[in-house]
């Protein structure tokens, strides 16, 4: 097996591209996510423009019809949720950082790892080709509710476009399952000597729980996709009710129920949102602690809350179905379990706040983004228990209120977690590219942070209000255009909508700063000192940060990394802050000056 | 020592494993030994770290275990759909609530098939056990040919043949149903019959591919550990598919 360093520095494009080195695979995942997030953002701008100026013709396309709008919503949601928020935190940073944090030199199954990446890439290509086929991309949303998704005649894009969507997501589910098998086995079996379970950094716990959830959830999604495929092509009717009239055609014989799809889909869908956020939660705990020079408050409890959130996440899927139809008893049960998630979630928030309380933290860009994560998580989390009450959800379901909820708590918080990770781990990214220890510009980073967080709130806070006013989600041309009772009703929301669209442009533009920062640093950055953030976790061990570190020819001879303590040990003698990395033997710590 | 440093709890647990015949005198024979790894093992002062033969095997087994677990969830989802679909009715044109589920009679040959699959699990287990005979492993280590491969091959071939027989039997069962005009799209029950048996057959087909890969691996690979890993992983997958079939068959035969 080739060792990481040889592959990084290998001149051959082929070996670099189809590598089994986890760091390069991590970078490949991150590049895929960066590409996807760019497309997803452009699509969201198209939606925002259309909502306030419905007569604006999309270049190369023309007027945006309602079905076009739906196709854009579907692509946006699918790309963002699967190809950005599932790949980047879990597979991207998971590959780049996780093995080093375990003191391991490889993932458990390197070839499987490469296969997972290339399957994910194939899934993305399949999805992106769907707008190009006759009748365009699928229009049934990232949740693909039947009968819209089950009957090809239900709308434009529900023929070939929908099939491509199905293929793409099936590939994605397979790849994610393989990748989580890899992550779980690596965490359980590849930890370096001394790294016991209670010494694992909280980031590892985040990846671990998210991988467990993917393992369970994605196979259920795969089964649901298979059933849907049979409904579309093999004459079954698992999800189509008898006597359903779709586009003038009566569907008889089948005896299925769209609600069955909802159950299967949301059994996957809710864990999926936790897969997106758990790695970010773990990172936030570690970063707040590192820059406050403290241990995360209630470290052990944070491990348990991570696992508890994962467990409860499997039991709450019904809260997406209060309105679509659920036995009232089931509604109550799901309502209780959903509100129960607020308990471990609140415990997390309290731990974050207690960790930074009066700690005089160092406000680096990574720290700022972590604080932004906390802020967004609270802002979005507050509406969770509101939506989790069936009575209130009756009114709010399918309005922009829900859109505001999940964009704050998942989309924005998730992206802030990714930004924090990028600023914090950039030396690792650059090391994997063969240029060790480059740091992104902090001053540009600060501008990036402040504009992003203000614009994010400016975009999503007003959506609560227009949602309360009754503005539905997934609808085009509601607030403007011809005068109908709805337009009259929603006329009040026009100012809020305009404000949202302008803010969305600011939000997107702020990301150009980030791109500029990335490119400039990679091209002309100057190396920082080793372990620039004075971190205590293993990925900053000199063996991992220096790509030119001479590695011996075989695994068995590599210099051993041994862990002696849990992460986040700092103490502040008069001479300044001292941090004690996990790998430093007790003997080499100078006695505490009393 | 600074107060923030937690006492090292791993160190005192160090032990020497004399029962592993490890006297520290160079390379040890490739038998089933504890070599450390997984972070919390207590013998991590050994030089081989995570890369001993036993660790590779345990890692592969764990991967297979997780893969099977996720596959199980896949079948759980399909079987739940079966029960939901079976118990729901609909309102007909006379405004009556009816449930017209008509069970699909399970072809007789499937009983025979089940037996074949059970036996194949036994032969597979025999193949697996041959891989771990310490005596033969020592022989190989001493350079006395490949006794392990020689002993395993017949059992592996038997498993492949039995697996193919199962698939042939499955094919016959579908043909018999088709002769009675029961097709995939005929009714709700037949959807599930074909779906469940079909998906399981695909898994077995994959299983046979894996067995053939193991077969070639036995010939090509010179490293005993690698051969052990291939056969071991293949056999756990095969056992899981056999066990799963028992449940699926019971579902189709008795729960319709
Ligand atoms: C305090 C904890 C939370 C509670 C009680 C909660 C509750 C809910 C409820 C009841 C809905 C359904 C609203 C409707 O469709 O009418 C919902 C939607 C959603 N939530 Fe949460 N939530 C919580 C945390 C989260 C977190 C942590 C995430 C993501 C990381 C998240 C992401 C989403 C998403 C993506 C949707 C919308 C799905 C869709 O319909 O497309 N939620 N939430
Ligand atoms: Cu949910």
């Amino acid at each position: 097996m080739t060792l990481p360093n040889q592959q990084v520095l290998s001149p051959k494009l082929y070996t670099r591209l189809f590598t089994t080195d986890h760091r390069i695979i991590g970078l490949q995942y991150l590049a895929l996510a960066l590409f996807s997030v760019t497309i997803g953002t452009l699509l969201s701008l198209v939606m925002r423009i259309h909502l306030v100026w419905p007569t604006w013709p999309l270049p190369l396309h023309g007027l945006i019809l309602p079905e076009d709008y739906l196709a854009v919503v579907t692509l946006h949601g699918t790309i963002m949720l699967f190809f950005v928020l599932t790949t980047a935190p879990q597979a991207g940073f998971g590959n780049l950082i996780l093995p080093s944090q375990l003191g391991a030199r490889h993932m458990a199954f390197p070839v499987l790892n490469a296969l997972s990446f290339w399957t994910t890439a194939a899934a993305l290509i399949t999805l992106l080709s769907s707008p190009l086929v006759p009748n365009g991309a699928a229009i049934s949303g990232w949740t693909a509710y039947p009968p819209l998704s089950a009957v090809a005649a239900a709308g434009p894009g529900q023929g070939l476009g929908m099939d491509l969507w199905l293929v793409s997501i099936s590939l994605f589910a397979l790849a994610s399952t393989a990748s989580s098998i890899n992550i779980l086995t690596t965490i359980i079996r590849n930890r370096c000597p001394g790294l016991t379970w209670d010494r694992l950094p909280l980031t590892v716990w985040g990846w671990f729980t998210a991988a467990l959830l993917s393992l369970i959830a994605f196979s259920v999604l795969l089964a649901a996709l298979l059933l849907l495929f049979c409904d579309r092509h093999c004459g079954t009717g698992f999800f189509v009710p008898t006597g359903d009239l779709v586009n003038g055609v009566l569907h008889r014989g089948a005896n299925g129920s769209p609600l069955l799809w909802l159950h299967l889909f949301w059994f996957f869908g809710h864990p999926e949102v936790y897969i997106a956020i758990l790695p970010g939660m773990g990172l936030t705990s570690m970063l707040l602690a590192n820059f406050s020079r403290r241990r995360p408050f209630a470290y052990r409890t944070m491990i348990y809350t991570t696992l508890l959130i994962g467990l409860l996440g499997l039991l709450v899927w019904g809260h997406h179905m209060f309105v679509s139809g659920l036995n009232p008893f089931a509604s109550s049960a799901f309502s209780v379990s959903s509100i129960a998630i607020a308990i471990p979630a609140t415990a997390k928030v309290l731990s974050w706040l207690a960790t930074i309380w009066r700690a005089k933290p160092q406000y680096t860009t990574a720290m700022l983004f972590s604080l932004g994560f906390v802020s967004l998580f609270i802002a979005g989390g507050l509406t969770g228990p509101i939506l989790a009450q069936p009575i209130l959800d009756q009114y709010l379901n399918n309005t922009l209120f829900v859109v505001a909820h999940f964009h704050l708590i998942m989309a924005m918080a998730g992206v802030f977690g990714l930004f924090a990770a990028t600023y914090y781990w950039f030396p690792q990214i650059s090391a994997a590219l063969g240029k060790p220890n480059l740091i992104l510009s902090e001053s540009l980073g600060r501008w990036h942070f402040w504009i992003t967080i203000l614009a994010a709130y400016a975009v999503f806070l007003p959506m609560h209000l227009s949602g309360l006013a009754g503005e539905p989600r997934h609808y085009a041309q509601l607030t403007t255009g011809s005068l109908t009772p709805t337009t009259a009703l929603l006329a009040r929301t026009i100012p809020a909508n305009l404000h949202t669209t302008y803010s969305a442009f600011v939000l997107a533009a702020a990301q150009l700063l980030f791109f500029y920062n990335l490119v400039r640093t990679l091209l002309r950055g100057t190396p920082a000192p080793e372990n620039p953030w004075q971190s205590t976790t293993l990925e900053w061990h000199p063996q991992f940060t220096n790509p030119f570190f001479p590695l011996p020819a075989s695994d068995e001879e590599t210099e051993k990394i041994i862990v002696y303590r849990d992460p986040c040990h700092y103490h502040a003698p008069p001479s300044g802050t001292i941090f004690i990395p996990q790998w430093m033997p007790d003997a080499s710590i100078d006695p505490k000056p009393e | 020592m600074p107060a923030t440093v937690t006492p090292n709890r791993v160190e005192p647990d160090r032990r020497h494993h004399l029962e592993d015949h490890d006297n520290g005198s160079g390379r040890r024979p490739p038998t089933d030994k504890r070599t450390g790894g997984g972070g919390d093992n207590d013998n991590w002062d050994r030089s081989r770290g995570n890369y001993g033969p036993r660790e590779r095997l345990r890692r592969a087994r764990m991967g297979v275990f997780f893969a099977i677990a996720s596959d199980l969830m896949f079948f759980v989802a399909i079987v739940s759909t079966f029960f939901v679909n079976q118990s729901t009715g609909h309102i007909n044109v006379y405004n009556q609530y009816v449930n017209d589920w008509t069970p699909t009679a399970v072809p007789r040959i499937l009983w025979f098939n089940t037996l074949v699959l059970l036996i194949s699990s036994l032969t597979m287990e025999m193949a697996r056990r041959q891989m771990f005979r310490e005596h033969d492993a020592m022989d190989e280590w001493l350079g006395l040919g490949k006794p392990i491969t020689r002993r395993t091959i017949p059992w592996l071939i038997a498993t492949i043949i039995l697996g193919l027989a199962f698939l042939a039997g499955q094919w016959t069962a579908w043909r018999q149903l088709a002769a009675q005009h029961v097709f995939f799209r005929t009714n709700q029950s037949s959807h599930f019959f074909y779906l469940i048996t079909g998906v399981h057959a695909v898994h077995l087909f994959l299983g046979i591919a894996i067995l053939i890969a193991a077969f070639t691996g036995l010939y090509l690979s010179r490293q005993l550990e690698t051969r052990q890993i291939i056969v071991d992983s293949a056999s756990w997958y095969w056992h899981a598919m056999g066990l799963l079939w028992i449940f699926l068959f019971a579902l189709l035969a008795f729960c319709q």
Side-chain angles (χ1 to χ4, degrees):
Chain A
M1 182 176 304
T2 12
L3 288 159
N5 294 12
Q6 295 162 350
Q7 288 193 342
V8 174
L9 306 174
S10 155
K12 271 197 240 128
L13 183 67
Y14 177 82
T15 21
R16 290 182 74 150
L17 203 56
F18 296 100
T19 172
T20 53
D21 171 20
H22 60 268
R23 287 187 175 218
I24 304 293
I25 294 177
L27 287 182
Q28 287 172 331
Y29 269 116
L30 289 180
L32 180 142
L34 195 63
F35 173 72
S36 306
V37 80
T38 311
I39 296 194
T41 308
L42 291 177
L43 289 171
S44 73
L45 290 182
V46 170
M47 290 190 283
R48 280 319 314 174
I49 296 176
H50 176 78
L51 282 174
V52 293
W53 300 293
T55 49
W56 174 73
L58 180 65
L60 302 177
H61 175 88
L63 221 55
I64 298 174
L65 304 173
E67 54 268 34
D68 301 332
Y69 183 84
L70 285 179
V72 175
V73 177
T74 305
L75 275 177
H76 166 79
T78 311
I79 289 179
M80 289 299 204
L81 215 52
F82 290 104
F83 294 94
V84 180
L85 286 181
T86 310
T87 53
Q90 181 74 0
F93 284 108
N95 269 304
L96 189 68
I97 304 296
L98 169 72
S100 328
Q101 277 200 342
L102 301 173
R105 286 189 182 72
H106 305 287
M107 291 292 273
F109 308 112
V111 177
L112 186 68
N113 204 10
L115 278 177
S116 314
F117 171 74
W118 288 106
T119 312
T120 310
L124 180 62
I125 293 171
T126 313
L127 183 69
L128 290 183
S129 67
S130 71
L132 308 175
V133 301
N135 284 329
I139 62 169
S140 41
W142 83 279
T143 56
Y145 282 3
L148 188 50
S149 59
V151 182
Q158 292 312 95
L160 190 52
M162 184 65 204
D163 283 329
L164 288 175
W165 189 90
L166 278 179
V167 171
S168 164
I169 302 307
S170 307
L171 288 176
F172 189 89
L174 282 173
S176 301
T177 309
S179 148
S180 46
I181 291 172
N182 217 337
I183 288 179
L184 286 171
T185 313
T186 308
I187 295 178
I188 296 176
R189 299 242 54 96
N190 279 22
R191 280 169 292 134
C192 74
L195 191 56
T196 52
W197 283 99
D198 50 350
R199 290 175 176 180
L200 288 179
L202 289 172
T203 31
V204 175
W205 283 105
W207 283 315
F208 182 76
T209 315
L212 272 180
L213 288 179
S214 333
L215 196 73
I216 296 172
F218 271 105
S219 18
V220 172
L221 175 69
L222 200 59
L225 294 172
L226 176 68
L227 295 172
L228 188 57
F229 184 87
C230 290
D231 273 9
R232 294 170 58 80
H233 296 289
C234 310
T236 61
F238 300 116
F239 303 129
V240 186
T242 311
D244 204 21
L245 188 68
V246 180
N247 222 347
V249 181
L250 193 64
H251 284 259
R252 312 195 52 99
N255 189 24
S257 158
L259 283 177
L260 186 57
W261 168 267
L262 265 69
H263 277 292
L264 292 173
F265 182 84
W266 285 114
F267 183 85
F268 150 78
H270 191 83
E272 161 73 2
V273 306
Y274 284 101
I275 296 166
I277 209 72
L278 279 168
M281 288 180 159
L283 178 69
T284 301
S285 285
M286 296 307 283
L287 287 197
L288 294 182
N290 193 58
F291 291 113
S292 309
R293 310 271 90 188
R294 279 187 182 168
R295 259 176 87 69
F297 183 77
Y299 198 90
R300 256 172 190 272
T301 313
M302 285 310 102
I303 299 179
Y304 295 135
T305 48
T306 305
L307 293 168
L308 187 63
I309 288 178
L311 177 72
L312 286 175
L314 288 169
L315 305 175
V316 299
W317 74 90
H319 66 214
H320 296 273
M321 303 172 60
F322 291 148
V323 178
S324 6
L326 208 55
N327 179 319
F329 293 108
S331 279
S332 315
F334 281 123
S335 168
V336 170
S337 61
S338 304
I339 295 176
I341 289 203
I343 297 169
T346 311
K348 288 250 175 241
V349 172
L350 287 179
S351 157
W352 293 329
L353 296 181
T355 308
I356 51 174
W357 183 252
R358 296 199 170 163
K360 298 208 184 65
Q362 201 187 336
Y363 291 105
T364 58
T365 311
M367 178 69 175
L368 289 176
F369 273 107
S370 295
L371 291 170
F373 179 99
V374 176
S375 150
L376 290 161
F377 190 80
I378 296 175
L382 287 176
T383 47
I386 298 176
L387 291 171
Q389 295 170 55
I391 293 287
L392 297 178
D393 193 48
Q394 207 68 254
Y395 180 75
L396 294 170
N397 179 270
N398 281 335
T399 66
L400 282 200
F401 193 87
V402 174
V403 178
H405 160 71
F406 71 77
H407 274 92
L408 285 177
I409 199 163
M410 183 186 68
M412 285 303 113
V415 167
F416 270 54
L418 288 174
F419 280 136
T422 311
Y423 282 97
Y424 177 68
W425 279 322
F426 199 75
Q428 307 269 342
I429 296 179
S430 71
L433 288 169
K435 299 181 176 181
N437 283 327
L438 298 183
I439 297 193
L440 289 174
S441 154
E442 284 284 301
S443 48
L444 273 180
R446 246 172 290 245
W447 277 102
H448 176 214
F449 167 75
W450 283 110
I451 303 178
T452 305
I453 188 150
L454 292 177
Y457 276 125
V459 170
F460 294 110
L461 284 180
M463 285 191 188
H464 291 101
L465 299 178
S466 42
L468 282 169
E471 185 178 346
R473 57 191 284 219
H474 282 198
Y475 275 60
Q477 292 182 329
L478 266 178
T479 45
T480 40
S482 59
L483 203 66
T484 62
T486 347
T487 32
L489 189 71
L490 292 175
R492 280 183 300 150
T493 68
I494 291 178
N497 266 304
L498 269 171
H499 171 89
T500 300
T501 299
Y502 288 132
S503 311
F505 271 98
V506 177
L507 184 57
Q511 307 319 310
L512 296 177
L513 274 179
F514 176 65
F515 272 98
Y516 174 67
N517 202 349
L518 281 185
V519 173
R520 198 186 67 162
T521 310
L522 278 178
L523 293 183
R524 287 195 277 122
T526 42
E530 245 180 35
N531 195 352
W533 316 116
Q534 308 201 322
S535 316
T536 55
T537 41
L538 277 172
E539 76 271 28
W540 301 100
H541 190 289
Q543 278 201 37
F544 291 123
T545 48
N546 182 355
F548 303 104
F549 193 90
L551 283 186
S554 85
D555 285 331
E556 298 173 15
E557 290 155 25
T558 44
E559 190 197 320
K560 271 252 278 284
I561 296 176
I562 295 180
V563 162
Y564 296 92
R565 64 184 64 75
D566 28 17
C568 302
H569 278 287
Y570 314 95
H571 66 109
S575 56
T577 311
I578 289 185
F579 65 106
I580 310 166
Q582 287 187 278
W583 66 85
M584 192 189 281
D586 293 342
S588 56
I589 301 170
D590 37 80
K592 190 177 180 180
E594 294 288 351
Chain B
M1 234 222 272
T4 42
V5 177
T6 47
N8 193 329
R9 259 163 290 146
V10 175
E11 207 88 17
D13 291 342
R14 252 194 244 183
R15 261 181 284 131
H16 277 288
H17 291 282
L18 285 176
E19 71 273 21
D20 283 355
H21 314 283
D22 175 30
N23 54 9
S25 61
R27 195 165 173 332
R28 277 164 289 136
T31 45
D32 207 14
K33 290 288 177 290
R34 269 182 260 178
T35 41
D40 43 10
N41 264 350
D42 49 6
N43 57 348
W44 42 265
D45 51 335
R46 302 280 179 74
S47 64
R48 304 196 63 182
N50 285 337
Y51 300 97
R54 185 172 170 124
E55 270 58 48
R56 279 187 61 205
L57 177 67
R58 288 176 60 175
R59 196 154 51 216
R61 260 188 206 163
M62 181 161 285
V64 174
F65 163 78
F66 280 124
I68 291 173
S70 84
D71 211 22
L72 192 68
M73 281 309 293
F74 177 85
F75 279 97
V76 166
I78 289 185
V79 171
S80 330
T81 323
F82 171 88
F83 283 120
V84 171
N85 228 296
Q86 186 188 36
S87 58
T88 37
H90 61 96
I91 312 273
N92 69 5
V93 275
Y94 307 109
N95 218 8
Q96 294 156 327
Y97 183 78
V98 289
N99 181 346
D100 38 31
W101 174 278
T102 33
T104 305
V106 172
R108 280 266 177 73
I109 189 171
L110 287 192
W111 287 94
F112 175 71
N113 251 354
T114 309
L115 190 68
V116 170
L117 202 59
L118 277 180
I119 299 175
S120 81
S121 231
L122 286 181
T123 54
M124 190 67 227
E125 183 61 14
M126 287 308 290
R128 195 184 78 80
R129 299 230 165 142
Q130 302 304 322
M131 295 307 294
F132 293 98
R133 290 167 60 118
E134 297 239 333
H135 226 83
D136 294 344
M138 287 306 280
D139 280 359
E140 289 218 358
W141 188 62
L142 294 169
L144 304 176
K146 277 173 140 189
I148 290 211
T149 296
R150 215 182 50 234
R151 280 178 191 274
T152 308
I153 290 282
W155 294 111
L156 207 56
I157 293 179
T159 315
I160 293 178
I161 291 175
L162 289 169
L164 287 173
F166 178 89
L167 283 187
Q170 190 63 64
W171 180 254
T172 320
W174 289 328
R175 295 284 302 275
Q176 287 176 356
L177 278 181
Q180 300 163 22
H181 296 284
V182 178
F183 303 101
F184 186 54
R185 51 178 69 216
T186 305
N187 59 37
Q188 289 181 70
S189 161
S190 78
H191 299 335
F192 279 104
F193 183 87
Y194 278 94
L195 186 74
I196 290 176
T197 51
V199 171
H200 182 264
V202 169
H203 277 84
L204 270 202
F205 190 77
L206 254 176
I208 289 178
I210 294 172
L211 289 183
I212 292 174
F215 183 80
T216 8
L218 277 181
Y219 272 112
L220 295 184
S221 167
R222 305 198 39 170
Q223 236 191 338
L224 177 58
E225 295 140 23
T226 310
R227 279 179 279 151
Q228 284 177 334
I229 288 173
I230 309 175
V231 175
D232 191 77
S233 309
S235 82
W236 291 121
Y237 178 79
W238 194 260
H239 291 329
M241 286 309 125
L243 197 64
L244 189 62
W245 172 252
I246 309 244
F247 283 107
L248 296 178
F249 180 62
L251 178 81
L252 294 175
F254 304 115
C255 298
Q256 282 210 47

